[in-house]
């Protein structure tokens, strides 16, 4: 009786170390999938090409920009990151909800082109907690931690551009909240066609 033709474009941002990656993995199911970004940064231990990211060199990344293959791209802490467009568009057309886990500059570019998207900003319980999480992750050396912490204030200044704030005090609470947002957004009358009589 009620039908959502196009999937939801879910854009999820938040400062480094806030837990976006873990939250996004927990949101995945048959109807909600994650876009795999392209990046020029080096893989971390355990990261697989084509799963965590498509790891490309700068030359290949530049070619993707020139060929208009990216929905958005941004430079973050000296590396390039971008969202391959064709995959996202085709999945939205199939009715899948697609999550972009991206930083703020890229998210703002997407928002200009896709105002119908759902923009969610994840906040840490405190800045102290955030720093502890980045250090605890143990994947970056000290200078990278410093650069990432310097980005935090800048990223937080964009938070008000998002439709929703979700605090990540506990992964399960944040996931529950985002699933509630997805359900509510899908039920919006302008996203559905309903046979009323
Ligand atoms: P990391 O190096 O920790 O995996 O990611 C660094 C930042 O880049 C994170 O804030 C992450 O959300 C963001 N990011 C990942 N993929 C993309 C993308 O395709 N585009 C943009 N603009 N940011 C991305």
């Amino acid at each position: 009786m009620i039908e959502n033709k196009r999937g939801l474009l879910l854009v999820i941002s938040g400062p480094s170390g806030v837990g976006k990656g873990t939250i996004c993995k927990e949101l995945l199911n048959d109807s909600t999938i994650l876009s795999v970004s392209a990046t020029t940064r080096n893989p971390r231990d355990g990261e697989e090409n084509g799963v965590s990211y498509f790891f490309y060199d700068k030359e290949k990344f530049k070619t993707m920009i020139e060929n208009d293959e990216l929905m958005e791209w941004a430079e973050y802490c000296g590396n390039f990151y971008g969202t391959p467009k064709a995959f996202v568009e085709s999945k939205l057309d199939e009715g899948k909800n697609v999550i972009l886990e991206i930083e703020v500059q890229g998210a703002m570019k997407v928002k200009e082109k896709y105002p119908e998207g759902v923009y969610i900003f994840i906040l840490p319980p405190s800045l102290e907690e955030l720093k502890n999480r980045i250090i605890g992750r143990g994947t970056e050396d000290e200078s990278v931690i410093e650069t990432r912490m310097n980005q935090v204030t800048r990223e937080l200044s964009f938070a008000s551009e998002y439709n929703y704030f979700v605090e990540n005090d506990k992964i399960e609470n944040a996931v529950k909240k985002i699933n509630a947002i997805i359900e509510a957004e899908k039920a919006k009358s302008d996203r559905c066609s309903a046979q009323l009589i």
Side-chain angles (χ1 to χ4, degrees):
M1 184 127 187
I2 299 175
E3 204 187 3
N4 285 108
K5 288 202 184 75
R6 202 166 146 86
L8 286 182
L9 178 65
L10 295 154
V11 178
I12 300 188
S13 304
S16 184
V18 79
K20 300 178 297 267
T22 314
I23 292 171
C24 289
K25 277 194 202 104
E26 293 290 322
L27 292 168
L28 305 183
N29 54 43
D30 283 349
S31 49
T32 303
I33 60 169
L34 193 59
S35 153
V36 179
S37 296
T39 185
T40 59
R41 89 149 157 72
N42 292 325
R44 295 181 184 135
D45 278 353
E47 283 186 334
E48 224 181 293
N49 193 22
V51 179
S52 317
Y53 281 105
F54 294 103
F55 295 99
Y56 294 143
D57 59 22
K58 286 205 170 128
E59 209 50 46
K60 164 80 179 160
F61 200 94
K62 237 175 82 190
T63 310
M64 290 182 84
I65 297 172
E66 281 162 10
N67 294 343
D68 197 27
E69 290 172 47
L70 298 175
M71 210 164 134
E72 59 74 36
W73 63 273
E75 189 176 357
Y76 178 90
C77 296
N79 294 303
F80 294 101
Y81 296 82
T83 306
K85 187 160 59 180
F87 175 83
V88 176
E89 278 293 345
S90 69
K91 294 297 170 186
L92 289 174
D93 284 345
E94 280 174 31
K96 301 274 187 206
N97 306 318
V98 182
I99 301 176
L100 308 187
E101 191 238 288
I102 63 177
E103 55 65 68
V104 292
Q105 303 165 69
M108 293 304 101
K109 289 186 209 159
V110 177
K111 198 177 169 204
E112 275 172 28
K113 291 188 214 157
Y114 298 80
E116 73 281 15
V118 180
Y119 295 82
I120 301 173
F121 197 88
I122 315 277
L123 290 159
S126 69
L127 283 181
E128 198 53 37
E129 171 72 21
L130 188 68
K131 191 163 185 183
N132 290 340
R133 286 187 198 169
I134 299 180
I135 295 167
R137 187 159 72 181
T139 50
E140 275 95 14
D141 64 32
E142 233 170 81
S143 69
V144 178
I145 291 173
E146 213 45 54
T147 323
R148 286 185 175 234
M149 280 309 291
N150 290 339
Q151 289 286 328
V152 169
T153 326
R154 206 184 67 79
E155 289 182 297
L156 290 174
S157 72
F158 281 90
S160 62
E161 298 290 332
Y162 287 71
N163 305 123
Y164 296 96
F165 292 156
V166 172
E167 185 177 301
N168 184 20
D169 52 348
K170 248 176 145 190
I171 296 286
E172 62 193 80
N173 293 343
V175 169
K176 215 190 258 178
K177 264 193 201 156
I178 298 177
N179 275 323
I181 293 169
I182 294 175
E183 281 314 302
E185 285 287 342
K186 269 171 36 190
K188 278 189 170 168
S189 56
D190 55 1
R191 295 194 196 274
C192 307
S193 61
Q195 200 182 331
L196 297 174
I197 45 169

